[in-house]
Amino acid sequence: MQSSQPRRTAPDPHPDVQEEQDGCGDVAAATKPKQRRGRGAKISRHKRNGRKKQSKTHDLPLPPSVPSSRASNNDTSDPRVWNLKRAIGRRDNRITTTKTQHDESVAENKQLLKKLKTAKAETKAVKKEAEKQMDVVMKDMEHEVKVINESANKQSERAEKKMKIAAEASGNAKVKAATATKAISEAKEKAKDATRAQASFTKATKDVNKKAGSKASAAATKLKKKDDEVNELKQQLKEALKEKATTERRARDAEEEALKQKASREEVEIALGDMERDLEGMLAMKKAGQIVIRKESAEGTGFKKWSQQMVQLIMEYLVAGGPPTAFSKILVATIRTMQPDAVIDELPGVWFVRRCRTVLLIVCQLLSAYRLAKAEKWGQLNCDATQRHQSSYLNLVVSCVEEYCADLPEEQQQYVSILMSACILPEDESAEAQKEAIVEFLNDKNEWLDEWATKIEKDFPDFKHDIKRDGLTLSKLAEGGLVTQDTCNTASKGSDLIVEEIKASAAAAGINANDVLTFKTYCHHHLRNIWWKWLEASLSKYLRDALEGSLKEIDPSLRVSTNISDIIRAVDKEFSLPANYPKGHGRAFLYWLKRYHPGALLVPTERATGSRHDLNVEGAGAIYYNAHLYIQFLDEQLRTPNANNILQENLFIILSSSEMLSLCRLCSIFHFAFSLPLRWLAGHTHKLAKHGWSVLSMSKALNIFEKAMEKIVNDGGFILSEDWVMHVFDDIADEIPEFKEYLNFIFEVKKSTAVDHQTEVLSGRSLRKELFSPERQENKDTADLVKTMASVGAEAVLKELRDPKKHTWEHLDSQNGPLSWMKVTDEMKKASLGKNAVNDVSERPFGGMTHQLESFTTLSGSNASAVAQARINGDFNRAESELLTKTKTKTKEDEHYKNGIFIDLPRELLQTAIELAMKKTKEVRKKDQEALTKQQEHRAEKMNALKARGIENATQQLIDCLYYYDMYNSARCWRTPEKVDEMLNKLKSNTAKLNEIKEQIRMRELGLGWVEARHAWSKNGRAYTVDELAKHLKEVILPEEVNKDIPSQPPVRTLERKVLPVLGTLSANVAKLDVASGENKQELREAAVRMRDERELKGIGDRYEQMQPSSAPELDEGLLNRRLEICEYRGEQLHWHSGTVLAVLTKPKNHVHFQFDEECLDEGEDPIQKVKLLPTFWNRTKQTKHAKGWRLAKEEIELAPPF
């Protein structure tokens, strides 16, 4: 569309081209004969340039895509088409004139030819010589023609380029090109006709000069002039031929373009109108410096979406910790405050801001993959697992060398840990599933990198990116890579599996197995915390045993414990100055201190929230040093009328105990002498490579610690020797100046203010002095007990250090551990330089994830991890925000700020990364949901398997119960104390007595379901004797048995719900559940009976064998007419055959006459036989040459049916 205001003519973008074209026009004019130019030969400057004279103020030329409002409906209405046709007409006129001149030249040439024929006749004598000379001349001419052709081609190409530039510069340039074309065409025609005569003229000139005299000389002179003109015209001819074709083609294209423009004129006018309005509005706003907040139209679609800048702003807002619900409000407030006239048409909704969490997650993982894929090798892999929102999550942290120090020597290289993800979802919690989840995650991110690279190559083909496809591979850990996790069994096994996967990946990458160096290490924080756990357990047990009498007298409701962790948590609740516990008195205690002890040093209590195993030694110092202040405050509080606070009473009892003060003093010394130095070394190992200190160097520190524990075990007094215990690690401090400086800072430099915030005190020195040279009497009195407990605690720690089921022993020289300093190779020591000795980099992401989940309770674990990942990796850090807000207290090291990778990312990478992330949001959310569903399915399968095993176990237990129930209802059961004594006397060995008394107890416990009949078989490693168990049977079980109802069947206790009291009336649905449970029990009971019978048919188990009396009956008259069973072979198997005792023989001894039942006899066999019954064969499935097994028949032992 044309502007309503006149605009200046746009400057010619190619002035040099115009000059060259003007030059071409002048050359063309110069080639005309002077007599033909006449008076009108002087062409105006405007006509020579191919355009009419224009005024200084005029409209800009219309672009080809914009139709003119002045155009008519005719096809030739377009000015450009009209100008081109006019140029073609002028060109045709010039061609006609050139043809006329050509005809005249041909006539003149004919006359010259006649003269040449005459010259030929006169020079026949020298014909042969002339032919030879002509051959030479022709060769020279061919060379010249070749040169001329090449020059013409070059000039033609240059002319074509000039014409192209001129055509694109403006439509008027085409007119100028047409003028030049016309002049060149004339020259081409002349050159074309003159070329044929050139060779003849040249030959004639030479011949005439030699033979013909003055006539030939005159002709040669004239031909030479013609030759110069022909050469020039020939050169222009070749240029003009191509220019003519190009001009004609452009004319046709212009006509077609005009037709197309006419066909779509209305549609284009509408679109241009909208574009013009938007453009004018945007330009006006841009000139005014306004901000516009609105969605943008997506290319190729009619939908509108938020710009990438808005998505980036939302992501940075989320990383800063802002809630999604406040984004629009903060955005409006910021814009209106900074620029009140900004245009805000619409704002992102809360839903969109929340969905940008997933975009943030994808961008962060993409950037992590991008950084690690570019690294040539990886240094360390850390991972950890946890549970949040009843789902299992796994994180993955990989370190690589910083780009700026990749070329430095290995000991000078610095590794940076990059969090790849804190939300990997393994199928279950096993080590195998975690390893597979890590491998699958890396493969998935390789696919992301490939998609990113493909997208940027498509959208920005000229941009050279540095995205490395398939750059995420575990083989990068094959050259000295470490795998570090905590010390639990699953983590340890997982590390082994990852190491094996690294070796397999290296083999697939073509790395020789001998060149692979990778191994697992353990988190030294976890190792150390486990020692203190056992230290606490041993000291707590020692004091619990020593104070057993006092503890029994204390009301259990006061919850008094000898466990140091419980004491520290109680103190934190009551005296913590932040006053986070509602029932505590931290604020009241602070006010009391300011009033009565303003100059006192108060050592702050240790934060006791969460599970921290080193809390038991770290938090003891505050209790030991502040105890006298705590006691005074509590005494005042408890003397208040109606004082009734369990927490205060608990603490007063504990803090007033010398034994508890001894415990706090000992734990404090362990903290300052051992825990604090080891914690600093472990936490700073990755920064100490310049001193040759590596992850494996921690083994040297553990060797020193082990020897210190040995010394304390032998003499507990060393724990109070300040000159020794506080200098255990001096050898290491001499090697590492930073370590020595830290210890000096803690005890000689670190200051704290007193309660009045005016007096400064060396807190570390004061606490250390009170530990080793106490001034308060109550602290002095703890010395002897501290020495005793030190040996106890050191022994427990030493046992833990060397426990082969744990992992510390692997670092000890004394145990020849695989990671001990004397056993590791120099290559392993070098490989572990500059790497982490702890797993903090994997612990931290879960802390950030937990914070997000606590702040936004409905947030998914994956989206919650996005903010934590962005903060840990520093992807969105801006150096400005840090530098401009830094405080004076920050050190020089803190001032090395730099932008995060996302901020400094090239525009092409940034744009495509955000577009790819927005595209993959649905896919990622769907995949996470599928992974969570798989976890729940696996847990359900596991639960079903447990139920199936439970049912199977319940069936087996019920079979046992059936046997014991039958045994109780048989002659084997001892029902009176007298029977117990009688039967025990009959049993000869102590083992038989012990086994039988246990069976009698099991009849009541398992057969009848009487839980109160249960009795342990041993305690603290000592087995109970026959007398002790018999006493329990006679004095506890049998008296109670008289008052109990005997159940009609054995109980089914497995899979039963715990018996709970009923509040009011039991609801109907619970009653239905109980009925269904009863039906299940009956099915289980019937299945158990069937299984028992099937087993007995197979010879597995025999209920009647278990129901027999413990000892054989006497072979006397009391055995007459009794029903017995005799064990005999029938074929190859033993069977029990029933019958009746007819007589007891005195000779031979132990023989009876026994009448077998008819169904037990073979054909023709005598039913009455003499059978030997030995007491040693009683109730034994056995037959020898001398005797047979025997027992009572089932009708003799069944006093009552089982059920």
Side-chain angles (χ1 to χ4, degrees), residues 660-903:
M660 294 297 103
L661 284 179
S662 301
L663 176 63
C664 293
R665 183 180 181 183
L666 177 61
C667 290
S668 299
I669 295 174
F670 264 92
H671 171 65
F672 287 112
F674 305 116
S675 183
L676 197 67
L678 288 171
R679 183 171 68 183
W680 189 94
L681 286 172
H684 291 77
T685 293
H686 62 288
K687 300 178 181 179
L688 303 176
K690 59 185 177 182
H691 301 297
W693 187 267
S694 65
V695 175
L696 296 179
S697 298
M698 286 300 299
S699 298
K700 295 194 296 184
L702 297 186
N703 289 330
I704 295 174
F705 179 64
E706 180 192 24
K707 292 177 182 178
M709 291 298 101
E710 290 176 347
K711 197 168 185 177
I712 295 174
V713 168
N714 296 329
D715 185 357
F718 280 105
I719 199 69
L720 295 180
S721 175
E722 182 179 5
D723 293 337
W724 175 78
V725 76
M726 296 302 295
H727 299 277
V728 169
F729 298 102
D730 275 2
D731 291 342
I732 298 177
D734 293 338
E735 298 177 11
I736 305 175
E738 294 91 338
F739 179 43
K740 191 172 187 177
E741 182 181 351
Y742 169 74
L743 296 177
N744 182 68
F745 171 78
I746 292 295
F747 299 112
E748 301 298 335
V749 179
K750 185 179 180 181
K751 294 182 179 180
S752 300
T753 58
V755 175
D756 58 4
H757 296 289
Q758 296 179 1
T759 308
E760 287 191 348
V761 183
L762 293 172
S763 56
R765 179 187 294 180
S766 301
L767 180 53
R768 177 173 172 175
K769 182 180 179 182
E770 190 64 27
L771 284 172
F772 295 102
S773 302
E775 296 179 355
R776 305 191 64 81
Q777 185 60 42
E778 64 269 19
N779 294 337
K780 293 179 181 179
D781 295 340
T782 62
D784 293 337
L785 185 56
V786 167
K787 295 176 183 178
T788 303
M789 290 195 300
S791 296
V792 175
E795 185 178 1
V797 172
L798 199 60
K799 182 179 178 181
E800 175 62 26
L801 291 175
R802 297 169 176 173
D803 188 351
K805 295 181 180 179
K806 306 298 177 61
H807 299 289
T808 306
W809 73 271
E810 298 181 30
H811 299 80
L812 301 178
D813 289 348
S814 63
Q815 306 301 308
N816 198 27
L819 297 177
S820 61
W821 185 251
M822 70 175 187
K823 197 166 184 179
V824 294
T825 63
D826 292 339
E827 290 77 10
M828 294 174 67
K829 294 175 183 177
K830 185 177 180 181
S832 62
L833 285 171
K835 297 171 185 176
N836 289 295
V838 295
N839 205 34
D840 290 0
V841 292
S842 286
E843 302 284 350
R844 184 183 173 194
F846 288 142
M849 180 180 179
T850 301
H851 176 72
Q852 287 289 309
L853 291 174
E854 290 174 350
S855 301
F856 310 99
T857 55
T858 60
L859 193 61
S860 68
S862 298
N863 285 345
S865 69
V867 173
Q869 183 171 358
R871 291 178 179 176
I872 291 172
N873 290 340
D875 295 333
F876 292 82
N877 287 353
R878 290 187 180 271
E880 297 172 297
S881 62
E882 300 294 337
L883 289 171
L884 299 178
T885 58
K886 67 179 181 179
T887 61
K888 295 181 180 180
T889 59
K890 292 186 177 180
T891 63
K892 293 182 179 180
E893 295 181 357
D894 295 327
E895 296 177 1
H896 294 289
Y897 303 118
K898 61 179 181 178
N899 287 333
I901 183 175
F902 182 85
I903 304 302

Side-chain angles (χ1 to χ4, degrees), residues 298-443:
E299 295 182 2
T301 65
F303 299 101
K304 291 186 176 182
K305 64 178 183 179
W306 287 109
S307 65
Q308 294 178 0
Q309 290 80 3
M310 179 62 72
V311 176
Q312 179 178 346
L313 179 61
I314 293 173
M315 289 193 293
E316 293 197 48
Y317 170 80
L318 293 173
V319 172
T325 53
F327 174 76
S328 296
K329 297 178 182 178
I330 293 176
L331 181 63
V332 172
T334 303
I335 293 175
R336 291 303 184 200
T337 302
M338 304 303 293
Q339 192 178 67
D341 58 346
V343 177
I344 303 178
D345 290 343
E346 53 186 327
L347 292 168
V350 177
W351 183 90
F352 180 78
V353 178
R354 287 172 176 166
R355 288 297 181 269
C356 283
R357 291 184 187 272
T358 309
V359 178
L360 175 63
L361 173 69
I362 298 171
V363 169
C364 289
Q365 292 185 358
L366 198 60
L367 293 177
S368 299
Y370 167 71
R371 294 171 66 183
L372 288 170
K374 292 200 300 180
E376 294 298 327
K377 70 174 185 177
W378 297 345
Q380 191 171 16
L381 184 148
N382 299 76
C383 55
D384 193 19
T386 190
Q387 282 201 351
R388 296 292 186 274
H389 284 186
Q390 302 175 6
S391 300
S392 299
Y393 290 94
L394 179 71
N395 65 29
L396 178 63
V397 182
V398 179
S399 69
C400 62
V401 178
E402 293 262 23
E403 294 182 6
Y404 68 86
C405 60
D407 297 330
L408 296 176
E410 195 163 341
E411 60 274 8
Q412 298 180 16
Q413 294 179 354
Q414 295 183 4
Y415 288 89
V416 56
S417 296
I418 300 174
L419 173 62
M420 294 200 69
S421 177
C423 58
I424 300 175
L425 294 164
E427 188 172 344
D428 55 60
E429 300 172 8
S430 65
E432 293 81 0
Q434 292 178 4
K435 187 268 293 184
E436 291 298 330
I438 290 174
V439 174
E440 182 180 354
F441 176 81
L442 293 176
N443 293 334

